[in-house]
């Protein structure tokens, strides 16, 4: 009887460990040269730069890109808590040991626990987590309306305080106009001029009804890379995301809750079949938000 109980207990432990390790999925994307990217066909372009799956029930998805070593990820805890695990490529005892993290919740109300402290994030609230050794876990207040935690992470040389930023607290500017179909609100959640960070910057752009263009005219910034997460897009709608050098552009068709990696040499602009929202995140050596290299509409090819 004791032997049978021991076997059952050992089996339970094995299943538990497998479940804990099995909810994190990640892949590695290598940095690319613009000369090579010009020769990519549609499938190869999507393989290199599109992140098609960000959110999946009770899973954490991550893409580790060699462009400034940013990690792009999402966590969707439905009926269990999810830990932000240290994936093998970062060679750390925990995820934040050498990294800072920015999180924006685009789903239902959720809780991010950093060490022993809990932060409740309403929809469109953000959280910055500084470098440290605290464990990070995600959970939802309601399984019927789970949180959707989108996060970016960059390597960090110094530890800065963890800070929650609500949408009301974050600076917001109005940009563009209806005539050019690019009227939009830009919310600056995690920026060096509003809070200290090492490399990471994050914000959100919401296009007004009737506006479909973002970041037009486009630009590049060779001092940092960028990633976009598109959301608030009905299933039957899509966004054509433009990338590449200004004189040799390519496009990637993106659907709701999908992300795109934008290398430092690439423009990043898009036009949708209707208005939408996107989160932008940047990592690199220059934290000046206005540091960019414009590409005029006349130069685009």
């Amino acid at each position: 009887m004791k032997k049978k109980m021991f076997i059952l207990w050992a089996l339970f432990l094995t299943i538990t460990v497998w479940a804990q390790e099995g909810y994190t999925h990640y892949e590695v994307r290598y940095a690319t040269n613009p000369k090579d990217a010009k020769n990519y066909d549609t499938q190869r372009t999507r393989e290199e730069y599109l992140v098609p799956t960000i959110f999946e029930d009770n899973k954490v998805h991550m893409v580790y890109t060699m462009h400034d070593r940013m990690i792009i990820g999402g966590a969707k805890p439905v009926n269990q808590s999810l830990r932000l695990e240290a994936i093998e490529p970062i060679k750390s005892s925990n995820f934040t040991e050498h990294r800072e993290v920015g999180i924006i919740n685009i789903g239902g109300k959720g809780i991010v626990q950093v060490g022993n402290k809990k932060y409740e994030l309403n929809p469109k609230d953000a959280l910055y987590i500084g470098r440290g050794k605290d464990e990070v876990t995600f959970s939802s207040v309601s399984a019927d309306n789970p949180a959707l935690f989108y996060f970016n992470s960059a390597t960090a040389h110094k530890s800065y305080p963890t800070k929650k930023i609500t949408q009301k607290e974050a600076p917001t500017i109005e940009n563009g106009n209806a005539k050019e179909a690019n009227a939009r609100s830009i919310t600056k959640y995690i920026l060096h001029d509003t809070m200290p960070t090492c490399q990471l910057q994050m914000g959100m752009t919401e296009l007004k009804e009737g506006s479909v263009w973002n970041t037009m005219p486009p630009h590049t910034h060779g001092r940092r890379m960028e990633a976009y997460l598109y959301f608030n897009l009905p299933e039957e709608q899509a966004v054509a995301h433009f990338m590449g050098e200004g004189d040799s552009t390519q496009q990637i068709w993106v659907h709701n809750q999908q992300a795109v990696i934008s290398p430092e040499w690439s423009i990043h602009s898009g036009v949708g079949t209707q208005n939408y929202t996107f989160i932008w995140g940047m990592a690199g050596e220059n934290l000046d938000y206005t540091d960019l290299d414009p590409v005029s509409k006349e130069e685009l090819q």
Side-chain angles (χ1 to χ4, degrees), residues 47-298:
E47 288 173 354
E48 293 291 337
Y49 305 113
L50 179 67
V51 184
T53 303
I54 295 288
F55 301 111
E56 189 178 356
D57 289 0
N58 294 320
K59 285 186 171 54
V60 178
H61 281 273
M62 294 186 231
V63 169
Y64 179 107
T65 171
M66 294 298 182
H67 288 288
D68 285 301
R69 297 188 181 275
M70 179 189 268
I71 291 178
I72 300 157
K76 185 181 179 181
V78 178
N79 49 20
Q80 67 180 70
S81 295
L82 303 174
R83 183 162 57 92
L84 184 58
E85 296 182 305
I87 58 176
E88 193 277 337
I90 68 175
K91 303 292 185 183
S92 300
S93 60
N94 66 22
F95 191 89
T96 61
E97 184 176 3
H98 305 120
R99 290 187 156 268
E100 57 187 353
V101 185
I103 303 166
I104 300 177
N105 178 20
I106 65 168
K109 186 179 293 186
I111 296 170
V112 180
Q113 182 165 337
V114 184
N116 295 321
K117 190 167 183 179
K118 294 182 178 181
Y119 298 88
E120 189 172 278
L121 299 189
N122 289 313
K124 296 182 180 178
D125 283 349
L127 182 68
Y128 170 80
I129 303 174
R131 170 178 170 157
K133 292 191 175 182
D134 288 326
E135 295 288 348
V136 177
T137 58
F138 304 103
S139 59
S140 295
V141 172
S142 170
D144 295 327
N145 185 24
L148 298 173
F149 296 109
Y150 175 70
F151 61 89
N152 291 163
S153 174
T155 56
H157 62 276
K158 184 178 180 179
S159 179
Y160 289 112
T162 295
K163 182 180 179 180
K164 175 183 171 181
I165 313 101
T166 67
Q167 187 178 24
K168 290 183 178 180
E169 294 170 336
T172 299
I173 62 172
E174 301 299 319
N175 208 336
N177 58 74
K179 183 179 179 180
E180 296 182 325
N182 65 357
R184 58 201 190 273
S185 299
I186 302 172
T187 304
K188 302 177 179 180
Y189 287 102
I190 301 171
L191 253 71
H192 190 62
D193 55 356
T194 58
M195 60 181 296
T197 67
C198 292
Q199 290 194 69
L200 189 63
Q201 301 181 77
M202 288 184 76
M204 182 176 68
T205 298
E206 299 180 84
L207 276 74
K208 310 288 186 181
E209 186 174 353
S211 287
V212 292
W213 281 100
N214 74 70
T215 321
M216 179 55 68
H219 60 262
T220 63
H221 26 69
R223 277 67 61 197
R224 58 180 182 261
M225 61 79 66
E226 191 158 1
Y228 277 10
L229 170 75
Y230 290 97
F231 67 106
N232 280 353
L233 192 65
E235 185 176 344
E236 68 276 10
Q237 306 294 337
V239 173
H241 177 93
F242 294 98
M243 62 163 297
E245 295 179 295
D247 62 355
S248 53
T249 60
Q250 300 161 282
Q251 94 283 332
I252 300 173
W253 282 98
V254 184
H255 296 277
N256 190 44
Q257 297 180 5
Q258 293 185 334
V260 179
I261 298 167
S262 179
E264 59 284 348
W265 46 262
S266 175
I267 66 165
H268 31 283
S269 180
V271 60
T273 53
Q274 73 159 65
N275 63 315
Y276 50 90
T277 304
F278 68 96
I279 293 172
W280 42 268
M282 297 181 280
E285 64 178 347
N286 193 331
L287 295 175
D288 179 3
Y289 177 76
T290 62
D291 173 35
L292 50 84
D293 303 309
V295 179
S296 70
K297 295 174 185 176
E298 292 78 11

